[in-house]
Amino acid sequence: MKSYLAAAIQMTSLPDLEKNLVQAEELIELARRQGAELITLPENFSFMGEEEDKIAQAEAIAQKSEKFLKTMAQRFQVTILGGGFPVPVDAEKVYNTALLIDPNGQEIARYKKVHLFDVNLPDGNTYRESKTVMAGTTMPQVYNSKELGNLGLSVCYDVRFPELYRHLADKGADVVFIPAAFTAYTGKDHWQILLQARAIENTCYVIAPAQTGQHYAMRQTHGHAMIIDPWGVILADAGDKPGCAIAEISPSRLEQVRRQMPSLQHRVFL
């Protein structure tokens, strides 16, 4: 593993596949110009709209999203995470799928979101992800990259389930991806602290690309795409506008923190 720059992209995705892909390409190019070798896109990067519209367009969204990720990775010679897009299961359900692509345009890891967001919030919004999404049934994998370190996948609501990240830590994760479309209501209180907790307790980097702003109807997201180091220090925060958070991923910093705080070695209940 070497030192390198990573980018957590922040978008305001809409119910418009083509516009979203144009926005994503512009931000990928921006991140690459700043030297990023690992670029991550948020959950729902290619489409964020009503559930029935997502299902109606799922086949096209899935095909174009995957082709887009492979094309961008090859064009800019970077590793890219597509943080979540619908992949059809049948006429009524999709998997919320995160895809990791190498600079050759090859798929190197795929994860189907396990924890689905079925919540009634006090701000009047009701979310029923399970209405159109089928939950994945297997834990995410850790992809072992000689240059970028051991990369662990997750998606959004997963962040509230620490056992998933302990699984990734047990598999040797150096960097954990948490791409999200976190609601504005929960984000203001929970987003940052949850990300820091996952980084601190597993002594790993957290890269969390995010959605921000108003998307459709009452759907509003929190923003603040972040990169956090293994000590819980926020290295970059994209604020509340589209853009990207860029920071260095350093193996020496990783080793330093794990030496100073060897908590994973002190576990009693495995």
Side-chain angles (χ1 to χ4, degrees):
M1 180 182 177
K2 63 175 185 178
S3 290
Y4 62 92
L5 292 181
I9 282 179
Q10 184 155 285
M11 299 178 64
T12 303
S13 295
L14 303 168
D16 189 320
L17 174 62
E18 300 303 331
K19 283 185 179 179
N20 294 333
L21 295 183
V22 168
Q23 181 187 179
E25 182 174 354
E26 290 173 351
L27 291 169
I28 290 168
E29 185 173 5
L30 174 65
R32 190 67 182 110
R33 285 205 310 266
Q34 294 180 55
E37 295 181 56
L38 172 63
I39 299 175
T40 61
L41 293 166
E43 183 183 32
N44 301 331
F45 72 93
S46 55
F47 186 88
M48 196 154 173
E50 300 288 357
E51 294 300 301
E52 58 267 26
D53 295 332
K54 179 181 75 177
I55 291 297
Q57 300 177 49
E59 193 71 47
I61 296 169
Q63 290 178 2
K64 290 187 178 182
S65 297
E66 186 165 335
K67 182 179 179 182
F68 171 81
L69 294 171
K70 291 178 177 180
T71 300
M72 292 298 104
Q74 284 183 298
R75 179 182 302 170
F76 294 107
Q77 285 297 288
V78 291
T79 299
I80 292 182
L81 175 80
F85 61 93
V87 174
V89 178
D90 54 35
E92 297 180 349
K93 295 266 182 152
V94 298
Y95 285 120
N96 188 343
T97 305
L99 203 58
L100 189 63
I101 306 294
D102 74 10
N104 295 318
Q106 299 298 310
E107 176 182 327
I108 51 178
R110 179 183 291 252
Y111 167 61
K112 300 167 184 174
K113 186 180 180 184
V114 169
H115 299 102
L116 303 185
F117 192 58
D118 289 358
V119 178
N120 299 319
L121 294 180
D123 65 355
N125 278 313
T126 296
Y127 300 90
R128 287 287 177 271
E129 189 174 16
S130 65
K131 184 178 179 182
T132 59
V133 177
M134 184 173 289
T137 57
T138 58
M139 282 284 206
Q141 69 184 96
V142 172
Y143 176 74
N144 307 115
S145 167
K146 196 177 294 185
E147 292 194 330
L148 304 180
N150 301 328
L151 310 175
L153 279 68
S154 70
V155 175
C156 199
Y157 191 45
D158 285 336
V159 75
R160 295 182 182 275
F161 301 88
E163 63 274 15
L164 185 147
Y165 299 90
R166 187 47 50 91
H167 160 79
L168 294 175
D170 286 345
K171 296 295 183 183
D174 301 314
V175 175
V176 167
F177 302 129
I178 310 180
F182 229 72
T183 70
Y185 185 88
T186 57
K188 62 183 171 55
D189 295 325
H190 296 165
W191 173 245
Q192 179 178 316
I193 197 168
L194 284 168
L195 295 179
Q196 288 177 299
R198 299 296 83 87
I200 293 166
E201 69 196 7
N202 296 298
T203 53
C204 64
Y205 281 93
V206 164
I207 301 178
Q211 293 284 351
T212 191
Q214 194 77 31
H215 305 276
Y216 63 92
M218 292 176 64
R219 188 68 189 271
Q220 188 172 355
T221 52
H222 175 66
H224 295 279
M226 289 185 184
I227 299 178
I228 298 173
D229 88 351
W231 193 253
V233 176
I234 297 170
L235 302 178
D237 181 339
D240 61 3
K241 304 295 182 189
C244 51
I246 295 182
E248 182 183 37
I249 306 300
S250 167
S252 61
R253 175 61 170 163
L254 197 62
E255 192 274 332
Q256 176 194 35
V257 170
R258 289 175 173 177
R259 186 177 64 250
Q260 291 174 342
M261 185 58 67
S263 56
L264 291 178
Q265 299 173 33
H266 297 158
R267 294 173 64 198
V268 175
F269 301 108
L270 300 178

